[in-house]
Amino acid sequence: MEAKVAHDWRLRGQRYRLEGEVCEHCGAKIFPPRDICPHCHQPARKPQTFSGKGEVYTFSTVQSPPQGFERYVPYTVALVKLEEGPVVTAQLTDVAPQDVKIGMPVEMVTRRLYTQNDESTITYGYKFRPVLR
Amino acid sequence: MDEQVKLMHSQRPVGIIGYGSYIPMYRLPNAEIARVWKGGGKGPVKEKAVAGLDEDSVTIAIEAARNALARAEIAPEQLRAVWVGSESPPYAVKPSSTIVAEALGATPYLLAADMEFACKAGTEALQAAMGLVGSGMGEYALAIGADTAQGRPGDALEYTAASGGTAFIVGPAEEALAVCQASLSYVTDTPDFWRRAHQVYPSHGGRFTGEPAYFHHILSAAGAMMEQLAMQPQEFTYVVFHQPNVKFPRRAAKRLGFTVEQLTPGLLSGEIGNTYAAAAITGFSAVLDIAQPGDRILVVSFGSGAGSDAFVWHVTEAITERRDKAPAVADYIRRRQEIDYALYTRYRGKLQM
């Protein structure tokens, strides 16, 4: 329990508001942040908050969920290509699985991700939904 | 008592520089609730907005606040307070406001607290934000009303208890899209609706929620406001009241001398139900979506327990270029997915497993 609290707390910037990094050496936009640029392997620590706009690159509908996600079944997990470049794995929300299409424009929203039980913390984070307008 | 003391004015003029709302997409028709509990018939509203499985008053507050920030065009770090009013906070102990502030990127140099006053928690936050900015303690403050209201299955409240949220960024009047001319609050100890600790559903005083509660506080606050400002109902372009149903605000408007035309643009309860701490202010948000510079708007909230906050707003030129920077209330009302009672019980966690 305590380990989960510290882990979630450490990730709050990226989970709540898509805070990643930009590489000052090659200019690559990086999400999730990892402090080393995956493209040029130089240190990359300059924060960059992503716009949250993107499109569905590919997706899969989950029928057999991992522990903690049972209540959302069936739900769709997508690789979302952000308009700044990086591809993010995230749950889609406010959309029925049969209505998801590759290339569909989506936007980031902050929602409940999971909670272990009635006594644990509630973990919030990014999901994506079809653009509102 | 000095007559002028009833009105509240901040030391420097303040107003709303950004506003935003959020309404979940799921709708439960009243006819569906009536089918389950009364074998058919209708209810006090057409349908109500229901939060999805991954939504709560915090996620609702976050989206409303992001819309308000988009319209205000300020950096989140410029906020000196984030106050969230709600009767449905996800935690009993732990502020919702810190989660909202962190999600917006407003931390760490600010005040953050949760307000509680049933359906007027949102306007209580708004009054406090106006005080903070109006005293010069900070340039900008964020006030939010957000709820995922629950009624006991089969109870009269279940037909209307809905989910939604609205946020306002208060700032100096020079930057405002709506300047506050005056505010006024009217509070008594009137137990018309309550929920004790560890109880899942609220209780209410039945017909007692009408005359001594809703009408007394709304009419007293609105009446004192207009009397002290020496204003007549026809001087307002729009009027917005707390909306637990459709008939209460209609009756309040009629008794105060307002017309159906002044009331209807801000009366959303027929389409989305009673969004509690967000109800009056989401109506106000919908009015700002269509208001013109020079319009005057009277907003009067009501919270059980009980009290009303009244505000007189003057819409400025800034409204025209700022309102399109975020989705309108109508955009959210249009985004509609009807659900049946069975899915509703699942979405709102009403099944004991």
Side-chain angles (χ1 to χ4, degrees):
Chain A
M1 175 81 77
E2 283 175 30
K4 177 186 171 289
V5 167
H7 176 78
D8 284 345
W9 171 76
R10 214 171 282 124
L11 299 182
R12 67 196 191 283
Q14 53 174 279
R15 281 216 183 122
Y16 287 6
R17 48 178 193 269
L18 288 181
E19 211 172 78
E21 289 161 336
V22 57
C23 176
E24 288 181 278
H25 301 278
C26 75
K29 309 280 176 62
I30 305 161
F31 190 89
R34 65 202 81 176
D35 297 350
I36 300 287
C37 177
H39 303 281
C40 72
H41 311 292
Q42 299 292 314
R45 290 212 173 86
K46 193 179 170 201
Q48 146 105 20
T49 299
F50 288 82
S51 67
K53 301 283 186 192
E55 61 175 54
V56 173
Y57 182 72
T58 187
F59 65 94
S60 180
T61 297
V62 176
Q63 304 286 353
S64 303
Q67 200 178 1
F69 294 86
E70 295 87 346
R71 65 192 303 258
Y72 300 118
V73 169
Y75 62 88
T76 304
V77 172
L79 296 183
V80 172
K81 189 167 171 54
L82 299 175
E83 65 180 13
E84 294 92 343
V87 175
V88 184
T89 307
Q91 204 173 315
L92 300 184
T93 189
D94 291 357
V95 63
Q98 64 270 22
D99 294 336
V100 180
K101 304 269 186 299
I102 286 173
M104 187 169 86
V106 291
E107 60 193 354
M108 187 272 274
V109 290
T110 307
R111 295 287 174 91
R112 289 167 79 116
L113 295 183
Y114 56 81
T115 180
Q116 283 180 328
N117 55 51
D118 286 349
E119 292 182 12
S120 69
T121 54
I122 302 162
T123 304
Y124 294 89
Y126 55 80
K127 293 187 182 181
F128 288 80
R129 71 158 179 225
V131 289
L132 193 78
R133 62 166 203 176
Chain B
M1 196 170 87
D2 179 350
E3 279 299 295
Q4 289 305 316
V5 173
K6 293 176 189 167
L7 282 182
M8 294 184 196
H9 291 106
S10 50
Q11 278 198 328
R12 66 165 171 172
V14 298
I16 291 164
I17 66 158
Y19 70 97
S21 296
Y22 175 75
I23 300 162
M25 69 187 287
Y26 302 103
R27 299 286 181 279
L28 179 64
N30 266 199
E32 175 67 1
I33 304 174
R35 178 184 73 82
V36 171
W37 290 106
K38 298 195 296 195
K42 291 198 253 181
V45 300
K46 183 173 148 253
E47 54 191 15
K48 66 172 187 172
V50 178
L53 280 167
D54 59 1
E55 298 187 283
D56 60 24
S57 56
V58 164
T59 67
I60 287 171
I62 289 169
E63 181 152 345
R66 284 189 176 135
N67 286 335
L69 267 176
R71 288 197 173 102
E73 294 187 292
I74 60 163
E77 299 89 346
Q78 292 176 274
L79 293 171
R80 285 296 157 268
V82 171
W83 286 318
V84 181
S86 182
E87 65 112 70
S88 47
Y91 287 93
V93 177
K94 194 215 163 302
S96 296
S97 51
T98 56
I99 310 170
V100 175
E102 192 77 52
L104 299 177
T107 50
Y109 295 103
L110 78 167
L111 285 158
D114 297 358
M115 301 275 184
E116 195 274 323
F117 196 144
C119 295
K120 96 166 180 85
T123 53
E124 187 83 27
L126 182 56
Q127 282 276 50
M130 288 177 12
L132 187 93
V133 175
S135 71
M137 276 181 76
E139 278 298 283
Y140 305 107
L142 174 61
I144 309 172
D147 262 313
T148 54
Q150 300 255 34
R152 188 182 303 279
D155 185 79
L157 281 181
E158 189 178 40
Y159 290 82
T160 52
S163 303
T166 286
F168 298 106
I169 292 172
V170 175
E174 310 85 75
E175 300 170 36
L177 53 83
V179 172
C180 185
Q181 184 180 342
S183 62
L184 178 149
S185 292
Y186 185 94
V187 167
T188 71
D189 180 21
T190 303
D192 58 314
F193 165 98
W194 62 92
R195 178 165 62 85
R196 297 277 302 275
H198 312 300
Q199 296 300 304
V200 176
Y201 297 112
S203 304
H204 57 85
R207 290 174 63 86
F208 188 70
T209 59
E211 213 46 60
Y214 180 89
F215 290 105
H216 176 72
H217 293 81
I218 293 248
L219 299 182
S220 299
M225 175 69 102
M226 287 194 285
E227 185 196 314
Q228 297 237 304
L229 290 176
M231 288 181 76
Q232 301 298 316
Q234 59 270 25
E235 293 177 66
F236 293 94
T237 324
Y238 303 104
V239 65
V240 184
F241 297 119
H242 175 55
Q243 33 206 273
N245 49 38
V246 177
K247 76 179 177 193
F248 275 24
R250 279 196 184 146
R251 202 178 296 162
K254 196 172 176 188
R255 283 166 71 169
L256 286 162
F258 290 96
T259 64
V260 174
E261 291 71 27
Q262 288 168 296
L263 180 74
T264 303
L267 184 52
L268 311 174
S269 51
E271 303 295 317
I272 62 170
N274 176 8
T275 54
Y276 281 51
I281 51 180
T282 305
F284 178 34
S285 179
V287 163
L288 288 172
D289 285 340
I290 57 163
Q292 295 301 317
D295 284 353
R296 286 167 194 236
I297 305 167
L298 174 65
V299 178
V300 190
S301 67
F302 170 73
S304 290
S308 284
D309 298 315
F311 305 83
V312 172
W313 304 97
H314 287 198
V315 180
T316 75
E317 298 288 337
I319 190 77
T320 43
E321 53 104 14
R322 259 182 247 170
R323 74 169 133 225
D324 291 331
K325 296 183 189 298
V329 171
D331 293 324
Y332 285 107
I333 293 179
R334 212 175 294 124
R335 194 184 69 126
R336 173 186 180 278
Q337 172 73 51
E338 191 174 313
I339 57 173
D340 62 10
Y341 198 87
L343 262 185
Y344 163 71
T345 58
R346 180 180 165 203
Y347 285 1
R348 300 316 300 147
K350 292 174 191 296
L351 289 171
Q352 296 288 318
M353 294 191 279

